[in-house]
Short mmCIF file of all heavy atoms in Angstrom, two decimals:
data_model
loop_
_atom_site.label_atom_id
_atom_site.label_comp_id
_atom_site.label_asym_id
_atom_site.label_seq_id
_atom_site.Cartn_x
_atom_site.Cartn_y
_atom_site.Cartn_z
N ASN G 3 -8.29 -15.90 31.67
CA ASN G 3 -8.58 -15.13 30.50
C ASN G 3 -7.30 -15.02 29.58
O ASN G 3 -6.21 -14.86 30.03
CB ASN G 3 -8.87 -13.61 30.97
CG ASN G 3 -10.22 -13.54 31.57
OD1 ASN G 3 -11.02 -14.42 31.41
ND2 ASN G 3 -10.44 -12.51 32.41
N PRO G 4 -7.60 -15.26 28.23
CA PRO G 4 -6.45 -15.12 27.25
C PRO G 4 -5.97 -13.65 27.20
O PRO G 4 -6.68 -12.73 27.55
CB PRO G 4 -7.15 -15.55 25.98
CG PRO G 4 -8.57 -15.22 26.15
CD PRO G 4 -8.87 -15.48 27.58
N VAL G 5 -4.78 -13.50 26.68
CA VAL G 5 -4.22 -12.20 26.52
C VAL G 5 -4.98 -11.42 25.46
O VAL G 5 -5.22 -11.89 24.41
CB VAL G 5 -2.65 -12.36 26.12
CG1 VAL G 5 -2.10 -10.96 25.91
CG2 VAL G 5 -1.94 -13.09 27.19
N LEU G 6 -5.40 -10.19 25.74
CA LEU G 6 -6.13 -9.45 24.83
C LEU G 6 -5.23 -8.92 23.72
O LEU G 6 -4.11 -8.55 23.94
CB LEU G 6 -6.80 -8.18 25.60
CG LEU G 6 -7.77 -8.51 26.72
CD1 LEU G 6 -8.27 -7.26 27.37
CD2 LEU G 6 -9.00 -9.34 26.14
N VAL G 7 -5.84 -8.85 22.56
CA VAL G 7 -5.16 -8.36 21.32
C VAL G 7 -5.06 -6.88 21.41
O VAL G 7 -6.20 -6.19 21.59
CB VAL G 7 -5.89 -8.88 20.03
CG1 VAL G 7 -5.15 -8.17 18.86
CG2 VAL G 7 -5.93 -10.33 19.92
N PRO G 8 -3.96 -6.26 21.30
CA PRO G 8 -3.87 -4.80 21.44
C PRO G 8 -4.46 -4.08 20.31
O PRO G 8 -4.54 -4.55 19.19
CB PRO G 8 -2.30 -4.58 21.55
CG PRO G 8 -1.74 -5.76 20.77
CD PRO G 8 -2.65 -6.92 21.18
N THR G 9 -4.94 -2.83 20.57
CA THR G 9 -5.48 -1.95 19.59
C THR G 9 -4.39 -0.98 19.25
O THR G 9 -3.88 -0.30 20.18
CB THR G 9 -6.79 -1.36 20.10
OG1 THR G 9 -7.77 -2.35 20.29
CG2 THR G 9 -7.29 -0.36 18.99
N ILE G 10 -4.24 -0.67 17.92
CA ILE G 10 -3.28 0.35 17.58
C ILE G 10 -3.98 1.49 16.92
O ILE G 10 -5.12 1.41 16.45
CB ILE G 10 -2.24 -0.23 16.58
CG1 ILE G 10 -2.92 -0.83 15.35
CG2 ILE G 10 -1.48 -1.28 17.29
CD1 ILE G 10 -1.90 -1.26 14.34
N ARG G 11 -3.33 2.64 16.82
CA ARG G 11 -3.92 3.88 16.22
C ARG G 11 -3.05 4.16 15.00
O ARG G 11 -1.76 4.38 15.21
CB ARG G 11 -3.88 5.04 17.16
CG ARG G 11 -4.68 6.29 16.65
CD ARG G 11 -4.84 7.24 17.77
NE ARG G 11 -5.68 8.45 17.33
CZ ARG G 11 -6.99 8.42 17.27
NH1 ARG G 11 -7.65 7.29 17.67
NH2 ARG G 11 -7.67 9.45 16.83
N VAL G 12 -3.65 4.21 13.84
CA VAL G 12 -2.90 4.45 12.58
C VAL G 12 -3.38 5.75 11.96
O VAL G 12 -4.49 6.15 12.17
CB VAL G 12 -3.04 3.24 11.62
CG1 VAL G 12 -2.46 2.04 12.20
CG2 VAL G 12 -4.50 3.02 11.24
N ARG G 13 -2.46 6.38 11.17
CA ARG G 13 -2.85 7.60 10.45
C ARG G 13 -2.80 7.28 8.91
O ARG G 13 -1.88 6.74 8.46
CB ARG G 13 -1.78 8.74 10.74
CG ARG G 13 -1.84 9.15 12.25
CD ARG G 13 -0.95 10.38 12.34
NE ARG G 13 -1.53 11.53 11.74
CZ ARG G 13 -0.93 12.70 11.47
NH1 ARG G 13 0.41 12.79 11.62
NH2 ARG G 13 -1.58 13.71 10.82
N VAL G 14 -3.98 7.64 8.32
CA VAL G 14 -4.09 7.30 6.88
C VAL G 14 -4.36 8.61 6.17
O VAL G 14 -5.23 9.37 6.47
CB VAL G 14 -5.29 6.33 6.63
CG1 VAL G 14 -5.32 6.06 5.16
CG2 VAL G 14 -5.16 5.04 7.50
N LYS G 15 -3.42 8.90 5.16
CA LYS G 15 -3.53 10.14 4.39
C LYS G 15 -4.36 9.85 3.13
O LYS G 15 -4.01 9.01 2.35
CB LYS G 15 -2.13 10.66 4.08
CG LYS G 15 -2.19 11.98 3.25
CD LYS G 15 -0.79 12.48 2.86
CE LYS G 15 -0.89 13.80 2.07
NZ LYS G 15 0.47 14.21 1.62
N PHE G 16 -5.39 10.61 3.01
CA PHE G 16 -6.22 10.60 1.73
C PHE G 16 -6.34 11.96 1.13
O PHE G 16 -6.94 12.86 1.81
CB PHE G 16 -7.60 9.95 2.05
CG PHE G 16 -8.51 9.80 0.90
CD1 PHE G 16 -8.08 9.14 -0.29
CD2 PHE G 16 -9.73 10.51 0.87
CE1 PHE G 16 -8.94 9.15 -1.34
CE2 PHE G 16 -10.61 10.41 -0.21
CZ PHE G 16 -10.17 9.72 -1.32
N ARG G 17 -5.76 12.09 0.02
CA ARG G 17 -5.66 13.46 -0.56
C ARG G 17 -4.81 14.32 0.35
O ARG G 17 -3.66 14.04 0.61
CB ARG G 17 -7.00 14.03 -0.93
CG ARG G 17 -7.72 13.13 -2.07
CD ARG G 17 -9.15 13.57 -2.24
NE ARG G 17 -9.78 12.69 -3.22
CZ ARG G 17 -11.10 12.64 -3.43
NH1 ARG G 17 -11.95 13.38 -2.67
NH2 ARG G 17 -11.57 11.86 -4.41
N SER G 18 -5.41 15.36 0.89
CA SER G 18 -4.65 16.25 1.78
C SER G 18 -5.11 16.10 3.24
O SER G 18 -4.75 16.95 4.01
CB SER G 18 -4.79 17.71 1.35
OG SER G 18 -6.24 18.15 1.30
N ILE G 19 -5.95 15.12 3.47
CA ILE G 19 -6.52 15.01 4.88
C ILE G 19 -5.97 13.70 5.50
O ILE G 19 -5.80 12.72 4.92
CB ILE G 19 -8.11 14.91 4.73
CG1 ILE G 19 -8.66 16.17 4.15
CG2 ILE G 19 -8.65 14.73 6.23
CD1 ILE G 19 -10.14 16.14 3.93
N TYR G 20 -5.69 13.79 6.76
CA TYR G 20 -5.24 12.67 7.62
C TYR G 20 -6.38 12.13 8.42
O TYR G 20 -7.09 12.84 9.05
CB TYR G 20 -4.02 13.05 8.49
CG TYR G 20 -2.78 13.17 7.81
CD1 TYR G 20 -2.30 14.41 7.20
CD2 TYR G 20 -1.93 12.09 7.62
CE1 TYR G 20 -1.12 14.57 6.57
CE2 TYR G 20 -0.73 12.15 6.97
CZ TYR G 20 -0.31 13.42 6.41
OH TYR G 20 0.91 13.59 5.76
N HIS G 21 -6.59 10.84 8.40
CA HIS G 21 -7.58 10.23 9.15
C HIS G 21 -6.94 9.24 10.16
O HIS G 21 -6.04 8.43 9.80
CB HIS G 21 -8.58 9.39 8.28
CG HIS G 21 -9.32 10.20 7.36
ND1 HIS G 21 -10.45 10.86 7.49
CD2 HIS G 21 -8.93 10.44 5.93
CE1 HIS G 21 -10.78 11.46 6.43
NE2 HIS G 21 -9.93 11.23 5.42
N GLU G 22 -7.31 9.35 11.43
CA GLU G 22 -6.74 8.56 12.50
C GLU G 22 -7.81 7.55 12.92
O GLU G 22 -8.91 7.93 13.28
CB GLU G 22 -6.26 9.43 13.71
CG GLU G 22 -5.08 10.26 13.37
CD GLU G 22 -4.45 10.88 14.62
OE1 GLU G 22 -5.11 10.77 15.69
OE2 GLU G 22 -3.44 11.54 14.46
N LEU G 23 -7.39 6.29 12.91
CA LEU G 23 -8.33 5.20 13.33
C LEU G 23 -7.73 4.24 14.32
O LEU G 23 -6.54 3.97 14.27
CB LEU G 23 -8.87 4.44 12.05
CG LEU G 23 -9.54 5.19 10.96
CD1 LEU G 23 -8.53 5.72 9.84
CD2 LEU G 23 -10.52 4.32 10.27
N ASN G 24 -8.57 3.78 15.13
CA ASN G 24 -8.20 2.69 16.12
C ASN G 24 -8.62 1.37 15.49
O ASN G 24 -9.77 1.22 15.13
CB ASN G 24 -8.87 2.86 17.48
CG ASN G 24 -8.33 4.17 18.18
OD1 ASN G 24 -7.08 4.47 18.09
ND2 ASN G 24 -9.20 4.85 18.89
N ILE G 25 -7.71 0.42 15.43
CA ILE G 25 -7.98 -0.89 14.82
C ILE G 25 -7.17 -2.02 15.51
O ILE G 25 -6.05 -1.72 16.05
CB ILE G 25 -7.70 -0.84 13.34
CG1 ILE G 25 -8.17 -2.14 12.55
CG2 ILE G 25 -6.21 -0.58 13.01
CD1 ILE G 25 -8.08 -2.01 11.10
N SER G 26 -7.70 -3.13 15.46
CA SER G 26 -7.01 -4.25 16.05
C SER G 26 -5.60 -4.52 15.31
O SER G 26 -5.53 -4.40 14.03
CB SER G 26 -7.77 -5.56 15.97
OG SER G 26 -7.01 -6.70 16.27
N SER G 27 -4.58 -4.83 16.05
CA SER G 27 -3.30 -4.94 15.44
C SER G 27 -3.17 -6.17 14.57
O SER G 27 -2.24 -6.24 13.75
CB SER G 27 -2.19 -5.10 16.65
OG SER G 27 -2.46 -6.25 17.33
N ILE G 28 -4.06 -7.12 14.64
CA ILE G 28 -4.09 -8.30 13.85
C ILE G 28 -5.13 -8.23 12.71
O ILE G 28 -5.41 -9.28 12.07
CB ILE G 28 -4.21 -9.59 14.65
CG1 ILE G 28 -5.60 -9.54 15.36
CG2 ILE G 28 -3.05 -9.76 15.64
CD1 ILE G 28 -5.85 -10.90 16.11
N ALA G 29 -5.69 -7.07 12.49
CA ALA G 29 -6.68 -6.96 11.46
C ALA G 29 -6.04 -6.90 10.11
O ALA G 29 -4.80 -6.80 9.95
CB ALA G 29 -7.51 -5.61 11.67
N SER G 30 -6.84 -7.09 9.04
CA SER G 30 -6.34 -7.12 7.71
C SER G 30 -6.49 -5.68 7.04
O SER G 30 -7.14 -4.81 7.55
CB SER G 30 -7.10 -8.08 6.86
OG SER G 30 -8.48 -7.67 6.66
N PHE G 31 -5.75 -5.52 5.95
CA PHE G 31 -5.88 -4.26 5.23
C PHE G 31 -7.37 -4.06 4.64
O PHE G 31 -7.80 -2.94 4.51
CB PHE G 31 -4.91 -4.14 4.08
CG PHE G 31 -3.50 -3.76 4.55
CD1 PHE G 31 -2.68 -4.76 5.01
CD2 PHE G 31 -3.08 -2.47 4.56
CE1 PHE G 31 -1.34 -4.45 5.44
CE2 PHE G 31 -1.81 -2.17 4.98
CZ PHE G 31 -0.94 -3.15 5.49
N GLY G 32 -7.98 -5.19 4.38
CA GLY G 32 -9.40 -5.12 3.98
C GLY G 32 -10.33 -4.56 5.04
O GLY G 32 -11.25 -3.86 4.81
N ASP G 33 -10.00 -4.99 6.34
CA ASP G 33 -10.78 -4.43 7.39
C ASP G 33 -10.52 -2.95 7.59
O ASP G 33 -11.47 -2.19 7.84
CB ASP G 33 -10.41 -5.19 8.72
CG ASP G 33 -10.64 -6.63 8.75
OD1 ASP G 33 -11.63 -7.05 8.03
OD2 ASP G 33 -9.92 -7.45 9.36
N LEU G 34 -9.35 -2.48 7.37
CA LEU G 34 -9.00 -1.02 7.42
C LEU G 34 -9.73 -0.32 6.41
O LEU G 34 -10.20 0.77 6.58
CB LEU G 34 -7.54 -0.93 7.41
CG LEU G 34 -7.01 0.56 7.49
CD1 LEU G 34 -7.50 1.18 8.85
CD2 LEU G 34 -5.46 0.62 7.42
N LYS G 35 -9.80 -0.85 5.11
CA LYS G 35 -10.52 -0.22 4.01
C LYS G 35 -11.95 0.00 4.36
O LYS G 35 -12.54 1.05 4.04
CB LYS G 35 -10.31 -1.02 2.77
CG LYS G 35 -8.89 -1.00 2.12
CD LYS G 35 -8.82 -1.84 0.90
CE LYS G 35 -7.49 -1.89 0.25
NZ LYS G 35 -7.42 -2.67 -0.92
N LYS G 36 -12.61 -1.06 4.92
CA LYS G 36 -13.98 -0.88 5.29
C LYS G 36 -14.21 0.25 6.34
O LYS G 36 -15.20 0.85 6.31
CB LYS G 36 -14.57 -2.26 5.78
CG LYS G 36 -14.61 -3.32 4.71
CD LYS G 36 -15.08 -4.64 5.26
CE LYS G 36 -15.10 -5.70 4.18
NZ LYS G 36 -15.65 -7.07 4.68
N MET G 37 -13.30 0.34 7.30
CA MET G 37 -13.41 1.39 8.22
C MET G 37 -13.19 2.76 7.59
O MET G 37 -13.79 3.76 8.06
CB MET G 37 -12.30 1.21 9.36
CG MET G 37 -12.56 -0.10 10.18
SD MET G 37 -11.33 -0.27 11.48
CE MET G 37 -11.61 1.18 12.49
N LEU G 38 -12.46 2.85 6.56
CA LEU G 38 -12.17 4.06 5.88
C LEU G 38 -13.34 4.55 5.00
O LEU G 38 -13.28 5.70 4.50
CB LEU G 38 -10.89 4.03 5.15
CG LEU G 38 -9.60 4.05 5.87
CD1 LEU G 38 -8.42 3.54 5.04
CD2 LEU G 38 -9.29 5.35 6.46
N THR G 39 -14.22 3.63 4.65
CA THR G 39 -15.38 3.96 3.82
C THR G 39 -16.18 5.13 4.33
O THR G 39 -16.50 6.06 3.59
CB THR G 39 -16.33 2.75 3.62
OG1 THR G 39 -15.49 1.72 2.93
CG2 THR G 39 -17.45 3.09 2.70
N GLY G 40 -16.38 5.13 5.66
CA GLY G 40 -17.23 6.21 6.26
C GLY G 40 -16.59 7.64 6.17
O GLY G 40 -17.15 8.52 5.56
N PRO G 41 -15.38 7.70 6.73
CA PRO G 41 -14.71 9.04 6.73
C PRO G 41 -14.33 9.61 5.41
O PRO G 41 -14.21 10.76 5.19
CB PRO G 41 -13.59 8.83 7.69
CG PRO G 41 -13.28 7.42 7.65
CD PRO G 41 -14.62 6.73 7.57
N THR G 42 -14.06 8.63 4.42
CA THR G 42 -13.55 9.13 3.11
C THR G 42 -14.67 9.22 2.08
O THR G 42 -14.53 9.85 0.99
CB THR G 42 -12.42 8.22 2.65
OG1 THR G 42 -12.91 6.87 2.42
CG2 THR G 42 -11.28 8.20 3.58
N GLY G 43 -15.75 8.37 2.29
CA GLY G 43 -16.81 8.29 1.28
C GLY G 43 -16.41 7.52 0.10
O GLY G 43 -17.10 7.52 -0.94
N LEU G 44 -15.30 6.77 0.20
CA LEU G 44 -14.79 5.91 -0.83
C LEU G 44 -15.14 4.51 -0.58
O LEU G 44 -14.81 3.98 0.45
CB LEU G 44 -13.31 6.18 -1.03
CG LEU G 44 -12.59 5.64 -2.31
CD1 LEU G 44 -13.18 6.36 -3.50
CD2 LEU G 44 -11.10 5.83 -2.20
N HIS G 45 -15.72 3.82 -1.55
CA HIS G 45 -16.10 2.35 -1.39
C HIS G 45 -14.87 1.62 -1.18
O HIS G 45 -13.85 1.85 -1.78
CB HIS G 45 -16.87 1.88 -2.69
CG HIS G 45 -17.56 0.59 -2.41
ND1 HIS G 45 -16.88 -0.64 -2.60
CD2 HIS G 45 -18.90 0.27 -2.10
CE1 HIS G 45 -17.73 -1.62 -2.34
NE2 HIS G 45 -18.94 -1.11 -2.07
N HIS G 46 -14.99 0.58 -0.35
CA HIS G 46 -13.76 -0.18 0.02
C HIS G 46 -13.14 -0.91 -1.15
O HIS G 46 -11.88 -1.19 -1.18
CB HIS G 46 -14.03 -1.19 1.21
CG HIS G 46 -14.99 -2.28 0.80
ND1 HIS G 46 -14.60 -3.49 0.36
CD2 HIS G 46 -16.38 -2.31 0.98
CE1 HIS G 46 -15.64 -4.26 0.12
NE2 HIS G 46 -16.74 -3.64 0.52
#
């Protein structure tokens, strides 16, 4: 089995609210934006 890519937990501040998300450490910022669409209601 290949070595698994670790998952990291990041904190993203939007206005006055912090959102914590788990994401692959090798993901792109575009991937993170798409994940933030749900909790923020803001199109990626």
Side-chain angles (χ1 to χ4, degrees):
N3 289 339
V5 178
L6 297 178
V7 177
T9 298
I10 59 176
R11 188 171 185 82
V12 297
R13 296 189 70 194
V14 182
K15 182 181 180 181
F16 178 55
R17 296 172 182 165
S18 59
I19 301 175
Y20 283 91
H21 300 276
E22 294 190 353
L23 299 93
N24 293 323
I25 188 170
S26 169
S27 62
I28 61 174
S30 67
F31 280 87
D33 296 329
L34 181 56
K35 288 180 179 180
K36 291 179 181 179
M37 293 180 64
L38 287 165
T39 298
T42 64
L44 193 63
H45 195 277
H46 67 90

